[in-house]
Amino acid sequence: MSNEQTPAPVADPRPARLTAAAALAALEGLALVVGGVYMLVMGLLGSPDRPEQAEMGGVTLIALALLPLLAARGLLKRRAWSRGPAIITQLMALPVAWTLLRSEGSLLIPAGIALAVVAVASLVLLVNPETNRALGIRGPRDA
């Protein structure tokens, strides 16, 4: 049999939990990009107290968006390295959610609730044994 006639190996389907974790990480990354672009635009066109601070904040948010976006892509491609950045993103999101929950803004409290729910749900999905198996991550008992 030639290479052209050899059937492609059937890969295990990606678990729904892994896909959901990737989707939540991508959602967080996109939210960071949107927030960063908003801050940049408001810094350039709006009238903030300190335009340079708004612009730098926007650039920082866009740069921070790379971590969850790369993690989401790695999770979708079943790369074991992607679980670490995805977990770090969720751990960084929890204090931000707490800060938003303790704020006085009318839109900030629901945003904090949403962020906390997404972060906790993502953490649960990322430490799930099914996700670990799909990524090829072995536990300490399997080493």
Side-chain angles (χ1 to χ4, degrees), residues 37-60:
V37 169
Y38 175 78
M39 286 181 73
L40 271 175
V41 169
M42 293 312 291
L44 295 171
L45 304 176
S47 57
D49 294 336
R50 299 188 54 186
E52 63 277 354
Q53 188 175 12
E55 293 162 6
M56 193 60 188
V59 169
T60 302

Side-chain angles (χ1 to χ4, degrees), residues 1-8:
M1 249 173 136
S2 70
N3 287 340
E4 296 170 354
Q5 296 174 345
T6 305

Side-chain angles (χ1 to χ4, degrees), residues 63-113:
L64 285 174
L66 290 175
L67 184 65
L69 290 174
L70 289 173
R73 184 171 188 263
L75 289 171
L76 285 176
K77 292 185 169 228
R78 296 174 124 181
R79 304 289 192 252
W81 62 263
S82 61
R83 183 173 166 253
I87 289 175
I88 289 168
T89 299
Q90 306 320 315
L91 293 176
M92 290 185 334
L94 289 173
V96 174
W98 178 255
T99 302
L100 291 173
L101 288 170
R102 300 189 39 95
S103 68
E104 308 247 347
S106 61
L107 289 177
L108 297 179
I109 292 174
I113 292 169

